[in-house]
Amino acid sequence: MLRCYSPVIAGLMVGVSPLLAAETVPTASPPAPLCPADLQDQIEQQLQRPDLARAQWGIFMQPLGAATPLIAHQADKLFIPASTQKLVTTGIALDVLGPDFQFQTPIYAKRSPYHRHQLQTLQIISSGDPTLQPADLVAIGTRLKTIGIRHIQQLQLVDPIPPEQHHRPSWEWDDLQYGYAPAVNQAILAGNQVTLTLTPQTVGEPLQMSWSEAIAASQWQVVNLTRTVVNPQSSLQIQQNRRQRTLTIRGELGPDANPDQTRLALPDPAQYFLDTLSHQLHQQGISVAKTQLRQQSRPLSTRPLLTLQSPPLSALIQTINQDSNNLYAEALWNQLLQSHSSQAATPLGKRRLQALGIPDTSLRIRDGSGLSRQNLISPRTLVQLLSVLAQSPHASTYRESLALAGESGTLKNRFRDSPLAGKIQAKTGTLTGVVTLAGFQTEIPLGTLVFSIIVNNSDLAPSVLRAAMDQILHWSAQVTPCEAHLNRLGD
């Protein structure tokens, strides 16, 4: 007699054995089909292993369009989602802003009343566009040259976000110096970060420093205490004093070691924007007498001289969900907060989930990227959101923004050479002690499976936890709609 699934799996979960970590997805022979109850039993057995039972696991799997879940384990408990939080951010953004939304950065000009080749003020009103690169600013100088401008008395940048609000209050202090946690202001350029490369020299000499961008590097005074030694005893460490603008670098590399690269968050991104634009204008023969940073200012005229535009939201969310770009996600979250500031009585995330018909009691949002450990969401809520968006007018745009197993984004090197390659669209997430994966599994007997797997409070390596998750997805791909389960789904 076929057994029907049980909606709740007993027991805690985490990790995976070394054997399972070494071989995530079997591929040697065609897998035997499983009934839903068989999947439940196999997951239960796996999660009761000693190396997996120390952490908290939440699992929710449901065929798209079905009323009954396939698997629900601690599905209503709250977990730290890590970067699967980006699924919430991008889903709400599509719903609120639409796929054609673009960040608009207008540039205004006020001519000098005395000299026709001069501007009294060139004003840039920043928009929070996270895509701007130094090369994009060349268009400003080009436009000025076409109207005969050779000198600017005042170059003014308007950035309404003060430095004390450049980071989410719940971000961990140790993260703030690195490129994955840059300042989130509105005048964003080159991702508000720069890359430092340390290269070994001859034995006894300090490591050679090189920067990806000289103007950005000029924001620090560097104390280089590194050494090139035959037998390195201390790893490289970079300590940033944001108030004093100093970088102290310690540690050792062997003479034959590969260069070490670190992405660092800029301490003053708005000043970097101003300095870079001023330099580029000078390169095009336009001098600048004075620069000014303001938090508030009205546009100088009714029509901008030109407007810089970001790619559409449909492209931005691909960078967010496939590459897990924190800055893009936070810039988008800022835009959403600004557009709904008049309705601040109810938090934005809960308000939008209510509008989508999803209960708002099973999440807490503290940022847009998932870098905050104060974000909380239940596996069921995440699957409900994915299911609603998968049946919305923007379904294809949303799903195409996700990484594809074995092919793109953070899943490019995962599930390769396995039956799951090309059949999972999902978002990954990783923090210390946290590993997550949520998305869609396609081309399986159950049709399309919407899933969320979240691990919290783990002491295992992320690779071990990912292997355990991959095994669960391998099993779910073998589940067939057995008769007893079909009867249950039809109830």
Side-chain angles (χ1 to χ4, degrees):
M1 181 177 67
L2 292 177
R3 294 174 298 169
C4 192
Y5 92 110
S6 171
V8 178
I9 299 175
L12 300 179
M13 8 190 219
V14 171
V16 78
S17 69
L19 179 60
L20 185 56
E23 186 177 354
T24 305
V25 179
T27 60
S29 59
L34 297 173
C35 287
D38 299 324
L39 174 64
Q40 174 189 325
D41 290 344
Q42 290 191 250
I43 292 176
E44 284 180 350
Q45 292 175 17
Q46 173 167 283
L47 299 181
Q48 289 171 4
R49 298 173 64 99
D51 57 343
L52 298 179
R54 292 191 297 270
Q56 295 287 329
W57 284 66
I59 303 176
F60 194 76
M61 294 180 165
Q62 186 166 334
L64 185 61
T68 304
L70 174 66
I71 292 294
H73 176 84
Q74 299 198 124
D76 296 308
K77 290 186 178 295
L78 294 175
F79 291 83
I80 300 170
S83 278
T84 52
Q85 179 71 28
K86 295 180 174 74
L87 293 171
V88 179
T89 300
T90 54
I92 291 175
L94 270 179
D95 178 54
V96 173
L97 303 174
D100 298 325
F101 166 82
Q102 293 175 282
F103 287 94
Q104 309 272 346
T105 304
I107 292 92
Y108 298 91
K110 182 177 181 181
R111 283 186 178 269
S112 169
Y114 308 108
H115 304 281
R116 65 187 183 92
H117 296 300
Q118 291 189 15
L119 290 182
Q120 182 174 316
T121 305
L122 181 70
Q123 179 192 59
I124 299 93
I125 299 184
S126 61
S127 66
D129 182 353
T131 71
L132 285 176
Q133 296 294 323
D136 297 320
L137 304 185
V138 173
I140 300 176
T142 301
R143 177 67 176 129
L144 292 176
K145 289 175 68 174
T146 63
I147 61 174
I149 299 302
R150 300 173 189 164
H151 178 73
I152 300 171
Q153 295 176 347
Q154 179 176 266
L155 175 60
Q156 181 186 99
L157 176 63
V158 181
D159 185 340
I161 302 180
E164 60 270 20
Q165 296 178 17
H166 283 181
H167 297 97
R168 306 304 183 197
S170 58
W171 285 5
E172 295 193 354
W173 181 257
D174 289 348
D175 290 330
L176 302 187
Q177 71 176 9
Y178 295 109
Y180 61 81
V184 188
N185 60 327
Q186 284 207 177
I188 299 170
L189 189 66
N192 287 350
Q193 60 187 269
V194 65
T195 300
L196 170 63
T197 301
L198 298 172
T199 304
Q201 303 299 297
T202 59
V203 173
E205 292 184 349
L207 304 179
Q208 182 185 55
M209 299 189 308
S210 59
W211 298 86
S212 59
E213 217 284 327
I215 295 176
S218 68
Q219 293 205 342
W220 289 285
Q221 180 181 359
V222 181
V223 180
N224 186 356
L225 303 179
T226 62
R227 284 289 181 272
T228 306
V229 298
V230 175
N231 295 308
Q233 300 297 313
S234 59
S235 59
L236 294 177
Q237 296 182 349
I238 300 176
Q239 183 178 7
Q240 181 175 170
N241 187 316
R242 301 181 66 86
R243 182 170 299 178
Q244 298 180 2
R245 301 283 184 86
T246 60
L247 281 180
T248 303
I249 309 172
R250 297 181 173 86
E252 301 166 341
L253 284 179
D256 298 323
N258 293 325
D260 180 89
Q261 290 190 332
T262 303
R263 291 184 298 123
L264 297 171
L266 293 176
D268 193 344
Q271 188 62 51
Y272 169 61
F273 193 115
L274 268 175
D275 291 344
T276 301
L277 178 54
S278 181
H279 173 74
Q280 290 196 353
L281 291 171
H282 178 76
Q283 292 291 98
Q284 296 186 68
I286 303 171
S287 60
V288 176
K290 176 184 174 183
T291 62
Q292 181 188 46
L293 177 64
R294 302 188 66 174
Q295 289 185 12
Q296 294 182 347
S297 184
R298 292 182 179 180
L300 295 176
S301 62
T302 57
R303 296 180 61 183
L305 178 70
L306 75 157
T307 300
L308 303 178
Q309 297 182 333
S310 76
L313 180 63
S314 57
L316 300 181
I317 66 172
Q318 287 193 9
T319 300
I320 294 172
N321 287 334
Q322 291 193 19
D323 301 335
S324 204
N325 189 297
N326 290 335
L327 179 62
Y328 277 48
E330 295 300 338
L332 192 56
W333 189 246
N334 274 350
Q335 177 65 33
L336 289 167
L337 292 173
Q338 291 167 17
S339 64
H340 282 65
S341 59
S342 61
Q343 307 175 41
T346 303
L348 170 65
K350 292 192 174 186
R351 187 164 63 249
R352 296 314 305 172
L353 289 183
Q354 288 173 353
L356 293 171
I358 299 171
D360 64 358
T361 57
S362 52
L363 87 164
R364 181 174 70 191
I365 298 177
R366 290 292 182 264
D367 69 8
S369 65
L371 192 58
S372 172
R373 302 183 73 89
Q374 293 183 20
N375 292 315
L376 293 172
I377 195 167
S378 72
R380 185 190 300 270
T381 295
L382 200 48
V383 166
Q384 288 175 328
L385 175 66
L386 290 168
S387 298
V388 168
L389 292 169
Q391 300 173 85
S392 74
H394 306 310
S396 60
T397 300
Y398 187 71
R399 289 184 60 169
E400 288 170 6
S401 75
L402 304 178
L404 187 60
E407 296 186 21
S408 65
T410 55
L411 291 180
K412 184 175 183 179
N413 297 315
R414 192 165 167 183
F415 302 108
R416 271 188 173 181
D417 303 319
S418 85
L420 302 185
K423 297 179 181 179
I424 292 177
Q425 294 172 295
K427 179 74 196 75
T428 60
T430 307
L431 293 170
T432 301
V434 177
V435 175
T436 62
L437 185 67
F440 305 92
Q441 187 173 20
T442 62
E443 300 179 45
I444 60 175
L446 293 180
T448 295
L449 188 66
V450 191
F451 68 88
S452 174
I453 308 175
I454 304 178
V455 185
N456 280 191
N457 302 324
S458 174
D459 60 349
L460 296 173
S463 60
V464 177
L465 298 174
R466 292 184 191 115
M469 290 180 175
D470 296 354
Q471 181 63 73
I472 291 172
L473 289 170
H474 172 70
W475 287 329
S476 67
Q478 302 171 36
V479 175
T480 59
C482 302
E483 182 179 354
H485 187 63
L486 286 175
N487 292 337
R488 179 76 177 217
L489 289 176
D491 292 343

